[in-house]
Amino acid sequence: MASVNIHEAKTHLSQLLERVEAGEEITIARAGKPIARLAPLLTPKKAFAFGVLRDRIRIAEDFDTPLPEDMLELFESKEQP
């Protein structure tokens, strides 16, 4: 974690914020004593929205019908074709 004094923090705030955006944490000190910390904000993940793909995905009427015997045998056999 980097440490800068108050004067340097005021002078180079834009550059320090760029470093924070990149994930770095920076301590601001007065007379060598830490008084504040610049750290990236944790952004919460968006909750999953049900129905987002409604009318964009189609499931066939027969999607769960049994496979033909020859294809089923290929899945069940241990040999590769």
Side-chain angles (χ1 to χ4, degrees), residues 8-81:
E8 184 180 352
K10 285 195 247 181
T11 306
H12 301 289
L13 182 61
S14 295
Q15 291 90 349
L16 293 174
L17 291 175
E18 287 177 11
R19 290 168 55 184
V20 169
E21 280 182 319
E24 188 176 346
E25 287 191 9
I26 299 171
T27 301
I28 299 174
R30 178 187 294 134
K33 292 184 179 182
I35 60 169
R37 180 177 58 204
L38 291 176
L41 289 176
L42 300 176
T43 53
K45 291 183 179 181
K46 288 185 177 181
F48 181 78
F50 288 98
V52 172
L53 298 176
R54 184 177 293 133
D55 300 327
R56 297 174 93 191
I57 295 178
R58 185 182 73 80
I59 298 175
E61 292 286 332
D62 63 347
F63 81 99
D64 60 349
T65 57
L67 293 172
E69 279 300 315
D70 57 335
M71 191 174 288
L72 187 59
E73 287 175 11
L74 287 173
F75 277 102
E76 292 176 346
S77 71
K78 294 188 189 233
E79 296 178 25
Q80 295 201 6

